[in-house]
Amino acid sequence: MAKARELIEQGGVVPLRGRVCRTVSSDGERTYLTAPEACNCPAGLKARFVCFHRVAVILAAA
Ligand SMILES: [Zn+2]
């Protein structure tokens, strides 16, 4: 949760189309495509938990 808020505050969540956003990885070197339902980061692809990118997108959209 804290990571997600940080990402938003640092401008790491950029809305693209619809509810899809471009998000920045925690080391700032990569970007991912994230929607509230899915994310293409390594953690998101495993889909074992909701990664903080998705949390950030959900928070940013709220
Ligand atoms: Zn992710």
Side-chain angles (χ1 to χ4, degrees):
M1 257 325 206
K3 258 176 132 183
R5 285 193 187 284
E6 226 172 83
L7 190 67
I8 295 168
E9 282 164 15
Q10 292 169 354
V13 179
V14 180
L16 295 177
R17 275 178 296 150
R19 303 204 297 164
V20 179
C21 294
R22 184 178 298 282
T23 55
V24 180
S25 65
S26 47
D27 62 12
E29 290 186 358
R30 283 153 297 181
T31 58
Y32 303 116
L33 291 176
T34 311
E37 304 80 15
C39 179
N40 72 345
C41 77
L45 288 175
K46 282 180 197 159
R48 289 171 66 186
F49 59 92
V50 177
C51 64
F52 74 92
H53 309 113
R54 285 172 59 189
V55 176
V57 168
I58 291 163
L59 288 176

